[in-house]
Amino acid sequence: MRDKDNITERQGNKCWKCGDPAVIHRKYEGKSWCSEHFTEQFESLVKGTIRENDLFESDDKVCVALSGGMDSSALLFFLSDLFKDWRNADLFALAIDEGIEDYRDESIEIAEELCRDLGVDLHIASFKEAFGKTLDEIMEDKEYGCTYCGVLRRWLLNRKSRELGATKLATGHNMDDELQSIFMNYLRGNMNRMVRLGAKPAVLDNEKFIPRVKPFRDTPEREIALYGRLRGIDLHQTECPYVDNSLRFDVRDFLNDMEAKRPSTKYTSLRAFDKLLPALQNMFSGDDSSVKECDFCGEITSGDICKTCQLREKI
Ligand code: SF4
Ligand SMILES: [Zn+2]
Ligand SMILES: [Zn+2]
């Protein structure tokens, strides 16, 4: 079978550092790693992303957006370990319950179990409570899908994490997510959204906005999955019934094919974007005076009424 991400978990290979059996061979660097050295190197790379981008302050109160999927679960695991040595920092998790029968119930159970094991407080905010309807009920009338769900989700994450006193909102976005977003925004010509990418997206100058951070942004998805498995994290495998990411999936397949044919394409294109980003931000960021507060809900928006309130009218 073709190895789409150039990461092969093989038996028979030896770790280049210690000679123990390898759990992964990375074609893009030509090395195999055993579980111990892979885990050690994975964690050190993520710490490098955190350090280079100044993702956290020593007294931050960090909210991890926890979906029950592998990326955010592995992130919570990693940060709960890292923050043990940070005496003034605090960490908690926030799960959004959109109200998707069977799918979200199962992932919330996994999130609860993980938080119990790690001793991390978990808060749950639901669409039903915030918007009066579950996603299942919203979907009964109209075909909304991910874009709309994402708008409501971001609104709720920002408001709830702020109410809980968070100073940062950490998400499990990985290198593959980031590259897909870069290419999608490019294909759509959406430069204003493209310049809001990065491990520490530009902060809006408004106290109602909780700054986002993405510690796994330089890490391939499949390596996070391997790290999570090696750390014993349970995986939520069911797919959301409303997923409609056709452009994202096309871009994902294109990038995976390119990586299979030309190992390290993903790394080089992400690094190229990082070099361009400061110049793009100067050209397309606009100024913060365009950040207003929504006439209805008071959350930040670029117009008079935020997208969430416009949607609420319809649903
Ligand atoms: S896959 Fe799309 S519709 Fe489903 S929870 Fe995620 S954003 Fe919402
Ligand atoms: Zn080794
Ligand atoms: Zn609003």
Side-chain angles (χ1 to χ4, degrees):
M1 201 173 84
R2 198 151 147 221
D3 169 22
K4 290 208 151 197
D5 272 8
N6 283 298
I7 300 164
T8 316
E9 290 158 50
R10 290 183 187 165
Q11 297 193 333
N13 273 15
K14 302 272 186 226
C15 174
W16 76 282
K17 279 191 117 173
C18 68
D20 279 358
V23 290
I24 184 169
H25 175 76
R26 291 183 181 135
K27 282 190 198 162
Y28 61 78
E29 68 173 9
K31 287 178 183 163
S32 299
W33 299 80
C34 69
S35 55
E36 187 190 329
H37 285 119
F38 165 75
T39 304
E40 195 180 281
Q41 196 248 3
F42 175 96
E43 292 182 343
S44 125
L45 282 176
V46 180
K47 284 177 190 165
T49 300
I50 292 174
R51 209 174 31 246
E52 281 159 28
N53 296 283
D54 290 325
L55 294 195
F56 300 117
E57 311 288 329
S58 57
D59 58 352
D60 262 334
K61 185 163 183 181
V62 178
C63 170
V64 176
L66 186 63
S67 70
M70 186 50 100
D71 296 326
S72 60
S73 298
L75 179 63
L76 185 69
F77 184 99
F78 172 83
L79 289 179
S80 70
D81 196 39
L82 181 76
F83 277 43
K84 275 184 190 136
D85 301 330
W86 295 25
R87 271 182 297 155
N88 296 322
D90 200 8
L91 183 77
F92 64 91
L94 173 60
I96 301 294
D97 181 359
E98 299 90 348
I100 307 169
E101 215 182 332
D102 296 333
Y103 169 73
R104 192 49 86 202
D105 308 340
E106 190 192 315
S107 70
I108 296 261
E109 273 171 33
I110 289 178
E112 284 171 339
E113 200 180 317
L114 179 68
C115 288
R116 244 192 332 268
D117 289 351
L118 296 175
V120 171
D121 286 341
L122 171 66
H123 302 266
I124 299 172
S126 72
F127 274 22
K128 181 82 178 175
E129 209 179 299
F131 309 118
K133 283 190 176 184
T134 63
L135 194 66
D136 285 336
E137 288 164 347
I138 294 169
M139 293 293 176
E140 266 174 23
D141 307 329
K142 299 178 183 85
E143 285 291 310
Y144 282 112
C146 284
T147 316
Y148 297 95
C149 176
V151 169
L152 301 178
R153 200 183 150 72
R154 277 193 296 278
W155 183 97
L156 193 49
L157 275 173
N158 192 69
R159 172 167 282 197
K160 194 72 188 175
S161 61
R162 188 179 69 236
E163 285 173 0
L164 292 165
T167 55
K168 295 272 165 61
L169 179 59
T171 63
H173 286 96
N174 58 52
M175 175 192 275
D176 295 79
D177 298 327
E178 185 84 347
L179 278 169
Q180 288 156 19
S181 298
I182 292 167
F183 280 82
M184 284 165 65
N185 282 318
Y186 188 75
L187 292 173
R188 288 173 170 151
N190 197 338
M191 304 308 283
N192 293 329
R193 287 193 76 163
M194 181 138 72
V195 298
R196 283 192 249 136
L197 295 169
K200 190 180 187 180
V203 174
L204 297 179
D205 187 18
N206 186 301
E207 60 185 19
K208 289 194 166 173
F209 176 75
I210 305 304
R212 270 71 165 155
V213 290
K214 299 183 237 170
F216 282 168
R217 182 262 189 188
D218 296 327
T219 317
E221 183 175 25
R222 293 192 65 188
E223 296 195 22
I224 298 170
L226 176 59
Y227 172 77
R229 283 207 305 277
L230 293 171
R231 290 300 200 182
I233 294 171
D234 208 359
L235 180 59
H236 175 230
Q237 303 221 14
T238 319
E239 184 163 87
C240 173
Y242 306 119
V243 67
D244 78 5
N245 268 321
S246 52
L247 177 59
R248 183 170 286 277
F249 292 160
D250 285 348
V251 170
R252 177 196 65 188
D253 293 346
F254 163 74
L255 288 167
N256 285 344
D257 280 348
M258 289 296 285
E259 181 71 25
K261 287 178 193 152
R262 297 171 182 81
S264 100
T265 295
K266 289 183 184 176
Y267 272 100
T268 48
S269 47
L270 192 65
R271 292 287 88 90
F273 175 74
D274 288 345
K275 285 180 193 159
L276 283 172
L277 189 55
L280 292 174
Q281 281 170 336
N282 276 338
M283 291 168 78
F284 298 104
S285 280
D287 83 73
D288 281 346
S289 59
S290 61
V291 179
K292 300 180 190 169
E293 291 182 9
C294 171
D295 289 348
F296 287 125
C297 69
E299 291 296 318
I300 47 172
T301 172
S302 53
D304 294 327
I305 300 170
C306 76
K307 272 197 190 149
T308 297
C309 288
Q310 291 173 26
L311 271 176
R312 273 201 246 193
E313 285 281 290
K314 293 186 205 164
I315 59 178

